[in-house]
Amino acid sequence: MTPLYDAMCSALAAAEEVFADIERLDGPAQKLQAYARIAQNLELERQASEIRIRAERGLMRGLKTAFKDHRFSQPTPPKTGSFDPTQEPV
């Protein structure tokens, strides 16, 4: 992958550790404050969604181009009339 992608994955893994830090806080009021701050950060959620959506769009563009350029073979349609479960075998 790219260095930026690797950095993003490392940052997300480190961000998950924030919950362990919250549990080490003294007092329930501090913990609630910290959880509320995370829960109200809708911009962070929007950014994560945008990353996923852009990746999905890029994947679809790449696959469409690959199929168009015949870098992938097209699936072969099944033969019609080759199997009829209502008829006895010959």
Side-chain angles (χ1 to χ4, degrees), residues 3-84:
L4 283 176
Y5 175 79
D6 293 338
M8 180 182 68
C9 290
S10 296
L12 285 172
E16 286 184 324
E17 293 297 317
V18 76
F19 295 106
D21 288 345
I22 289 173
E23 287 303 313
R24 287 191 285 269
L25 290 175
D26 292 331
Q30 288 180 322
K31 290 179 184 180
L32 284 175
Q33 227 175 8
Y35 281 127
R37 185 174 178 199
I38 293 169
Q40 292 173 354
N41 191 346
L42 299 179
E43 179 63 17
L44 183 62
E45 184 178 343
R46 186 201 61 76
Q47 289 172 333
S49 294
E50 180 67 21
I51 289 169
R52 182 183 49 78
I53 289 167
R54 290 176 68 184
E56 289 173 352
R57 286 179 184 157
L59 175 62
M60 291 308 298
R61 277 194 307 271
L63 288 173
K64 285 179 183 178
T65 301
F67 275 108
K68 186 178 82 176
D69 296 345
H70 303 289
R71 286 186 265 163
F72 290 114
S73 61
Q74 294 290 333
T76 308
K79 296 178 184 178
T80 58
S82 62
F83 176 73
D84 186 357

